[in-house]
Amino acid sequence: MKIVITKERRAHERRVAATPDTVKKFIALGFDVAVEQDAGINSRISNQAYQDAGATISADIVSLLGSADILLKVQRPLLAGEGEINELALMKRGALLIAMLSPYAEPSAIQQYADAGITALTLEFVPRITRAQSMDVLSSQSNLAGYRAVLEAINVYDRAMPMMMTAAGTIAPARVMVLGAGVAGLQAIATAKRLGAIVSATDVRAASKEQVESLGGKFVMVESDEVKNAETAGGYAKEMSDDYKRRQAELVAETLKKQDIAICTALIPGRKAPTLINDEMVHSMRPGSVIVDLAAEQGGNCTLTKPGEVVEINGVTIIGLFNIPSRLSADASALYAKNILNFVTPMIDADKQFTVNWQDEIIAATVLTRDGNIVHPNFKPTSA
Ligand code: NAD
């Protein structure tokens, strides 16, 4: 059984799906592992390090993809017209593809996996259950994104974060507001607090209040009965009513004009990110303020975010950079690779045989295509 790890060819992607550590463990499980030459270079992993771990290194992408029983990737493979090669077309029928396949962003690719006879498993769909915590790529990557978002803000912020009392005068601490207190938001709060900022945060899920406060943040939230039902069974946020949105906008407007930095992380799975900061609110912030919009790839939480760009509007810098975890590629790859190892390990049974339990809750939640068909209930074509 051969596992293949290739170079990530999509723009802004510096991560890699395996490390020498995980390669060693795959080999101990009985797999052969082949790594494309320079696959780890952007994560500071040399070809030699993979080779020392027991992998074979190859520059021949055509034979690598053609020989993979399991292809491990960070992002979805390139399709026709998307880049230098059509990675999907080079894979053999029946192969397993394990990656963050962005199924909601790219639903049309799912039919192509099915047509190519690929069994596609998407890691964003790993359920948030205790047994799957070590496989949770959203958590491992969002945590790093939340941390890095604060550093991106500081990098363009012309003032200091902590209060400083000096002989030449006192510098006031920065005020940071975090919108969306999930995994990324909580890490942003912790990071901003460590740097000495005064931090407030908001979310629609009432459960996040305690978490924000335990990190020393002030929780601001619309008081409404609606928050009792704002969370899905999986712990994710739901889209709120128009009345709630109006009241939330008033609250955010009131809070934001006193802030120096806003970190936006609010997401609703499968939907465009909720709008939380409008043009008027941006204009109410003082020059020198910074907004980091981690939701930029899902349309952004701020109406003036330019996805993929950094813009300045009336002295307010809005950072809408894509793929923030990739900016910490060495750590992001190490955690992602560990998540994948933990996902694949249960596929080896007690007799060291590769057997996928398709009924398993974690596998069933992640399989998009199998035996030439789309099998995931969210994407199955509806019969006429
Ligand atoms: P996410 O990335 O989907 O969204 C980020 C945050 O934005 C969430 O906290 C969400 O409630 C919030 N949000 C959405 N719409 C909003 C709005 N209109 N206004 C303000 N905030 C809004 O979330 P996530 O970080 O992936 O976390 C989702 C859930 O999963 C949380 O309940 C978290 O505690 C839980 N979780 C569980 C596990 C586990 O048990 N293994 C691991 C990680 C996360």
Side-chain angles (χ1 to χ4, degrees), residues 254-322:
E254 205 40 53
T255 317
L256 204 64
K257 60 185 175 204
K258 299 172 216 138
Q259 306 299 315
D260 301 301
I261 294 172
I263 309 284
C264 302
T265 78
L267 293 175
I268 302 168
R271 287 176 184 253
K272 188 191 165 299
T275 299
L276 301 177
I277 301 180
N278 59 29
D279 295 22
E280 212 177 304
M281 295 180 203
V282 174
H283 295 309
S284 77
M285 295 178 83
R286 70 168 170 163
S289 301
V290 185
I291 297 171
V292 181
D293 198 342
L294 286 184
E297 267 159 280
Q298 285 79 23
N301 291 147
C302 173
T303 45
L304 291 175
T305 297
K306 285 244 171 0
E309 292 180 33
V310 178
V311 291
E312 192 178 315
I313 293 161
N314 288 347
V316 178
T317 305
I318 306 175
I319 300 174
L321 295 173
F322 288 155

Side-chain angles (χ1 to χ4, degrees), residues 56-88:
T56 54
I57 305 291
S58 165
D60 183 353
I61 185 68
V62 176
S63 71
L64 270 173
L65 286 172
S67 64
D69 298 305
I70 304 178
L71 176 64
L72 303 182
K73 286 189 55 62
V74 177
Q75 293 201 36
R76 60 193 188 87
L78 292 173
L79 306 177
E82 285 191 331
E84 55 196 273
I85 51 168
N86 181 342
E87 291 174 310
L88 181 68

Side-chain angles (χ1 to χ4, degrees), residues 127-130 132-133 136 138-139 142 179-186 202-205 207-208 211 230-231 234-238 240 244-245 248 265-269 274-276:
R128 254 75 191 267
I129 56 172
T130 307
Q133 268 181 11
D136 187 348
L138 291 184
S139 289
S142 297
L179 299 106
V183 178
L186 291 172
T202 189
D203 203 295
V204 292
R205 293 179 302 104
S208 58
Q211 295 162 347
E231 190 166 322
Y236 291 103
K238 290 184 189 163
M240 305 304 276
Y244 184 97
K245 286 183 192 164
Q248 187 184 33
T265 78
L267 293 175
I268 302 168
T275 299
L276 301 177

